[in-house]
Amino acid sequence: MKKLLLPIALLSCLAFAGCSKDAEIESFITEFETVTQTMTSKIESGDAEGAKKVFDEKKESLKASWDGIKGARGFQVSEESKKKLMASVTKNVTALSGAVMKGAMKGGNANDMKSLLKEYQDIFKM
């Protein structure tokens, strides 16, 4: 019985390590930040259509990545990755929201920009 304990413990550790979502979270954050920064700069420069095009090109990829990590639990995600993800989402949603307001104040089509922002935010609902 004691001889079985060590292999079982090792297999359990390997199983938990194999379930880590940290790399997936890092990949998501990189893509998410790149897309958001591009959208933000396009909206701020008055190119809401360009921002929509960038978003449309990456929407499915972002959604698939988000769906893969949003249900991660406890041992699957390090505390550092959780904090980094939360900070990234907060920073990027705030930046895009601010860009939409600036764009609308500059005379851009407020309804189109609000619609784009809503579609963007809908991807990340839990």
Side-chain angles (χ1 to χ4, degrees):
M1 184 68 168
K2 288 183 182 181
K3 290 182 179 182
L4 286 176
L5 225 50
L6 182 59
I8 290 172
L10 288 174
L11 285 174
S12 296
C13 289
L14 288 174
F16 287 131
C19 294
S20 176
K21 300 278 186 174
D22 288 346
E24 289 177 59
I25 289 173
E26 189 65 38
S27 175
F28 169 78
I29 289 171
T30 300
E31 181 179 24
F32 174 62
E33 289 187 349
T34 300
V35 170
T36 305
Q37 288 168 2
T38 304
M39 289 173 64
T40 299
S41 66
K42 287 192 177 292
I43 288 172
E44 286 178 347
S45 70
D47 186 11
E49 283 298 316
K52 173 104 172 98
K53 183 178 178 186
V54 168
F55 177 67
D56 287 343
E57 289 172 359
K58 292 293 189 172
K59 180 173 33 178
E60 291 305 317
S61 175
L62 286 170
K63 181 161 178 34
S65 295
W66 177 253
D67 288 346
I69 63 173
K70 73 179 179 184
R73 300 287 181 251
F75 64 89
Q76 293 178 309
V77 182
S78 70
E79 197 60 38
E80 181 182 330
S81 289
K82 287 180 194 176
K83 288 178 183 176
K84 191 172 182 181
L85 177 62
M86 195 56 147
S88 176
V89 169
T90 302
K91 176 184 81 174
N92 286 288
V93 169
T94 301
L96 190 61
S97 297
V100 165
M101 289 188 154
K102 286 179 188 176
M105 291 173 71
K106 286 184 177 181
N109 188 332
N111 289 332
D112 286 348
M113 287 188 272
K114 285 180 184 177
S115 175
L116 176 60
L117 181 60
K118 182 181 179 338
E119 190 176 353
Y120 172 89
Q121 290 173 328
D122 285 347
I123 286 180
F124 310 110
K125 288 189 177 173
M126 294 296 267

